[in-house]
Amino acid sequence: MQGLSVDFSRLDNFVSKEELKLMDYKIKEAHKMLNEKTGAGRNMLGWLDLPTNRDDDEINRIKQCALKIQKQCDVFVVIGIGGSYLGAKAMIDLFTNNFSNMLSLSQRKFPQIIFAGNNMSGKYLRNLVEYLEDKDVAINVISKSGKTLEPAITFRILKILLEQKYGITGAAERIYVTTDSQKGLLHDIAKKNEYEMFVIPDDVGGRYSVLTPVGLLPMAVANINIEDILDGAQFASHLFNEECIDYNDCYKYAAYRNILYNKGKEIEILASYDPCFRYFIEWFKQLFGESEGKNAKGIFPSGALFSTDLHSMGQLIQEGKRNIFETVINVNLDRSFIELPKTDENLDELNYLAGKSIEYINKQAFYGTLEAHVQGGVPNIVINLDDLNEYIIGELIFFFEKACAMSGYMLGVNPFDQPGVEAYKKNMMNLLISDND
Ligand code: PA5
C-alpha cells in the first residue's frame, strides 16, 4: 500500500532536469551520512528506526494506559511545548471531529483533550484552572529535558490542583510522565511520586519524537490507531531509503528545496485545503525551522490554510516578492461528507453548484489556485494523499522527517541540534533570577 505520491511537474519552468541531476552527488553524500551515521548529530538518528524496531510491550502499555485514562477522566491535559506537543496535537486534529471537545462524551468516546504548557499566558492558565475545577482530570506531562519552563510552570499548578482534588496518592494515579529514561527534574519528580512513566529515547530529539510515547500516548487516548501510523511510517522508511533520486520522491523533494533556495526562493509555504491540517503545518514548521535555521542559512518554513488564507495572504503569494515556493498537501478523499442542496428560489444564485460535494468545490479551488500561483512565479510541489487515514499520515510524517534530515545535510548544517533556542532562555532566566535577588 502506498497512498502518497509527489507531483513535481509544476517545477519544470523553474528548475531544469540538469540542475536536478547536479544534486545527485549531494543526495548520495547525505544518504550515506544518514545510513552510515557519519554526519553531524549522528547520535540523534534513533527516529529512523522507530517505525521498524518497535517495542511491542511498550505499545501495549501505551494502549492499556490510554484505556485507563479514558475511564478515569473527563478532561485529559497534555502538557508540553515544541516537539513535546505539536505532533500529538497535529494527529488529534487530523483524526478527530473538528468540534471534538464540544461533543458529549458518548459522541466523542474519549475524554476532552486540552494542550497546555505551551505558553506562559496567565490568562490561559487561570482559565484552564477554572475550567478544570469541577471536572475529573488526568495529565500527561511531556518534557525530554525535564526542565523547560513553560510545561514546568503549568505542571506545578495542575499537580497542586490534582492533589487538592484527589489527595497525593489519588493524584499520582492520574499523572503520566513522558521524559528521559535516566535524568532531569521531571524524571526525578516522577520517580519520587511513583508516577507512570514513558521514555523518550536518548537518540530521538523533540521534533523527531512524534512516533515515540510523546505522540503515541495522547493519540491512543483519542482512539487513533497508533499501529497503523507506525505501519505507514515503516513502509515509508523503506520506500524513502532508495539512494537513487529518480526512485525516491523524498530525496527529490529535499533536492528541489535546495535548488529553489539557491535561486532565492527562501520561503516555503506548506499549504492545505483543510483546516484539520493546521497543527500538522505547525509541526512541519518546527521540524524544518529548528533543523535548518542555523549558520545564517535556512528556508523560512511557513504555512497556509486555503481557501481561508487566499483571502488574507493570497495577494502577497500571487504578486508579492518572488521569494516563495509552495508545497501543497492534496488529499483525494474517496467519500463525500456533504453536498450543496438545491433551493427553489436560488436567491444566492448557487444552484449551478447544487448536488456537488463540498470536496469537489474545494478541489476546484485547489486546481485554480495551483495554476494561478505557478503562473504568478511561485513554484509548486504537490503531495498527493489517496485518503486521510493513519497509515498514509504515518507515511507523510516519515516523508517529512527524512526530507528534513536530508535537506539539512545538503544545506551543510546539523539538522539535529538547536543551539539558537538557548539565547532567549538565557536572557529570560537572567531577568527572572536577578529579579529574585
Ligand atoms: O525539538 C526540540 O528539541 C524542542 O522543540 C523541544 O521539543 C522543546 O523545546 C521542548 O523541550 P523539552 O521536551 O525538553 O521540554
Side-chain angles (χ1 to χ4, degrees):
M1 181 169 165
Q2 185 154 353
L4 181 159
S5 59
V6 191
D7 179 358
F8 298 102
S9 63
R10 288 173 187 83
L11 297 181
D12 289 352
N13 290 338
F14 303 94
V15 180
S16 69
K17 293 281 166 272
E18 291 67 40
E19 284 172 309
L20 185 63
K21 194 85 206 116
L22 283 175
M23 298 307 285
D24 248 11
Y25 82 94
K26 272 198 166 190
I27 285 284
K28 291 207 166 99
E29 206 174 64
H31 172 87
K32 201 167 161 209
M33 283 157 87
L34 278 180
N35 276 271
E36 295 179 10
K37 299 193 181 358
T38 51
R42 63 184 74 87
N43 56 341
M44 297 306 285
L45 295 177
W47 56 274
L48 280 167
D49 302 319
L50 287 173
T52 308
N53 296 344
R54 290 182 218 174
D55 177 346
D56 289 336
D57 291 344
E58 182 73 341
I59 304 265
N60 280 333
R61 189 163 73 94
I62 289 172
K63 284 166 44 179
Q64 288 310 316
C65 187
L67 286 175
K68 182 177 164 200
I69 292 168
Q70 287 180 345
K71 286 197 192 110
Q72 75 183 158
C73 67
D74 309 316
V75 185
F76 178 51
V77 184
V78 181
I79 301 175
I81 195 164
S84 288
Y85 96 103
L86 285 167
K89 171 79 176 137
M91 295 303 114
I92 289 170
D93 281 11
L94 281 175
F95 294 115
T96 63
N97 189 296
N98 284 63
F99 304 98
S100 189
N101 276 349
M102 292 175 221
L103 299 177
S104 67
L105 178 60
S106 63
Q107 289 170 310
R108 200 177 43 237
K109 299 187 174 57
F110 55 87
Q112 282 186 340
I113 301 181
I114 291 178
F115 287 84
N118 51 57
N119 63 66
M120 288 193 280
S121 158
K123 177 176 179 294
Y124 186 93
L125 254 179
R126 169 78 187 260
N127 289 170
L128 179 63
V129 168
E130 285 167 357
Y131 181 70
L132 295 178
E133 226 130 57
D134 62 347
K135 312 278 187 313
D136 263 334
V137 183
I139 292 175
N140 180 200
V141 53
I142 308 171
S143 175
K144 187 171 184 197
S145 63
K147 61 174 189 190
T148 308
L149 194 56
E150 293 87 341
I153 286 175
T154 302
F155 181 48
R156 177 185 277 214
I157 290 174
L158 295 194
K159 177 174 179 284
I160 292 170
L161 181 85
L162 260 64
E163 288 176 352
Q164 282 165 353
K165 266 175 180 284
Y166 307 108
I168 297 199
T169 325
E173 278 286 301
R174 292 164 177 270
I175 295 175
Y176 305 86
V177 171
T178 309
T179 191
D180 189 272
S181 63
Q182 311 279 342
K183 56 183 187 310
L185 297 174
L186 182 59
H187 168 273
D188 298 347
I189 294 172
K191 280 271 165 220
K192 181 163 186 283
N193 291 281
E194 297 180 5
Y195 298 150
E196 174 138 22
M197 217 159 86
F198 293 91
V199 162
I200 310 170
D202 287 349
D203 55 359
V204 179
R207 58 189 175 275
Y208 289 86
S209 70
V210 57
L211 300 180
T212 73
V214 170
L216 298 179
L217 178 60
M219 284 188 232
V221 173
N223 287 337
I224 294 172
N225 188 329
I226 56 175
E227 273 146 335
D228 279 3
I229 298 241
L230 289 166
D231 286 347
Q234 181 175 5
F235 176 78
S237 73
H238 298 306
L239 188 68
F240 300 133
N241 202 35
E242 164 60 54
E243 190 186 19
C244 176
I245 191 172
D246 295 338
Y247 305 106
N248 190 331
D249 280 349
C250 174
Y251 287 9
K252 221 179 253 181
Y253 171 62
Y256 272 124
R257 291 179 87 250
N258 209 279
I259 298 168
L260 290 167
Y261 176 65
N262 287 324
K263 286 173 177 264
K265 305 292 184 192
E266 296 191 339
I267 297 170
E268 177 176 18
I269 298 178
L270 183 69
S272 161
Y273 283 72
D274 195 313
C276 71
F277 273 91
R278 181 179 300 278
Y279 271 87
F280 189 89
I281 291 170
E282 292 304 317
W283 171 82
F284 160 90
K285 281 161 61 179
Q286 190 213 356
L287 179 64
F288 280 81
E290 266 188 9
S291 300
E292 289 190 311
K294 49 200 71 157
N295 307 349
K297 298 185 206 176
I299 293 173
F300 188 94
S302 170
L305 288 172
F306 296 152
S307 62
T308 315
D309 292 337
L310 292 173
H311 296 261
S312 57
M313 298 299 286
Q315 172 62 38
L316 174 88
I317 298 169
Q318 189 68 47
E319 294 182 345
K321 192 167 176 198
R322 302 298 67 194
N323 56 354
I324 298 169
F325 70 98
E326 286 175 308
T327 301
V328 188
I329 300 174
N330 172 43
V331 185
N332 292 307
L333 285 176
D334 59 0
R335 57 190 178 277
S336 164
F337 288 102
I338 184 166
E339 287 177 1
L340 194 73
K342 189 172 179 186
T343 64
D344 289 341
E345 286 185 305
N346 193 25
L347 291 177
D348 52 13
E349 298 180 2
L350 287 178
N351 271 357
Y352 74 102
L353 293 174
K356 300 260 191 278
S357 73
I358 306 305
E359 285 75 36
Y360 168 83
I361 300 170
N362 202 17
K363 196 62 73 191
Q364 308 322 303
F366 158 63
Y367 291 131
T369 307
L370 185 63
E371 297 318 325
H373 285 184
V374 171
Q375 274 166 25
V378 180
N380 262 254
I381 297 164
V382 181
I383 300 179
N384 290 305
L385 305 183
D386 287 351
D387 204 342
L388 187 53
N389 61 38
E390 282 98 333
Y391 188 94
I392 292 176
I393 293 299
E395 284 183 63
L396 188 64
I397 289 172
F398 199 88
F399 171 89
F400 278 125
E401 287 182 341
K402 187 86 189 273
C404 181
M406 291 291 288
S407 286
Y409 277 156
M410 290 165 77
L411 196 64
V413 300
N414 176 356
F416 307 110
D417 65 358
Q418 54 285 328
V421 180
E422 294 311 311
Y424 97 88
K425 284 190 193 164
K426 206 169 139 212
N427 287 348
M428 175 179 73
M429 291 316 286
N430 283 343
L431 290 168
L432 289 171
I433 288 162
S434 65
D435 220 26
N436 214 17
D437 290 340

